[in-house]
Amino acid sequence: MVSRRLLSRPETLTELAQLRLKAVLAECSELDALAGHVRSFARMLTERQGERLPRWLDAVRQDDLPSLHSLAAGIDRDRDAVIAGLTLPWSSGLVKGHVNRIKMLKREMFGRAGFNLLRTRVLLYT
């Protein structure tokens, strides 16, 4: 129950839920820090503020949260792409959807037919 509240926007919680969450966060400083970082990243994501990512990464590294350190290291490996994803309005979601559809068609036909039938199915089922 607490994890769902942690991932919710505080303003959407009932007053009782807000009080309970506040009490839990007051008891555990690590959980409080984690909640702050998660909410900060969510704001960056929803408000397309990728330029804030370097400061967020620095703040994460200052806290003793090994799982977030691992996430920060992964983000650092492809920092430019992550910043672009958090900043730019374009999405590759449509392309990924088509790729998944083609992979599904290919799996359905595995061992049954050749490239010509796969090509026909891909072109007909768009």
Side-chain angles (χ1 to χ4, degrees):
M1 199 69 140
V2 171
S3 64
R4 202 167 1 135
R5 290 186 184 120
L6 248 182
L7 297 175
S8 299
R9 292 178 186 236
E11 64 273 8
T12 64
L13 298 173
T14 65
E15 191 173 332
L16 179 61
Q18 287 179 10
L19 290 173
R20 287 180 178 165
L21 179 59
K22 190 174 183 178
V24 168
L25 294 178
E27 291 294 319
C28 181
S29 61
E30 291 87 4
L31 195 55
D32 189 33
L34 176 65
H37 292 308
V38 167
R39 288 190 177 124
S40 177
F41 191 83
R43 264 193 309 278
M44 232 186 329
L45 182 65
T46 57
E47 297 172 8
R48 296 203 174 277
Q49 297 176 338
E51 67 279 356
R52 290 179 39 209
L53 184 67
R55 283 178 296 183
W56 183 85
L57 290 170
D58 291 339
V60 163
R61 287 190 189 98
Q62 290 176 6
D63 286 332
D64 186 25
L65 300 166
S67 58
L68 276 186
H69 291 181
S70 174
L71 173 67
I75 288 173
D76 254 342
R77 282 192 290 273
D78 208 4
R79 182 186 281 221
D80 291 338
V82 175
I83 290 173
L86 290 172
T87 307
L88 301 173
W90 302 295
S91 169
S92 61
L94 187 60
V95 172
K96 288 182 180 184
H98 285 297
V99 168
N100 284 337
R101 182 181 56 81
I102 291 169
K103 286 180 179 179
M104 187 252 334
L105 288 171
K106 184 179 173 185
R107 278 194 292 286
E108 282 180 349
M109 295 174 34
F110 184 77
R112 296 189 187 144
F115 177 75
N116 288 334
L117 182 58
L118 175 62
R119 181 178 182 275
T120 302
R121 285 196 70 190
V122 167
L123 293 175
L124 289 177
Y125 298 103
T126 56

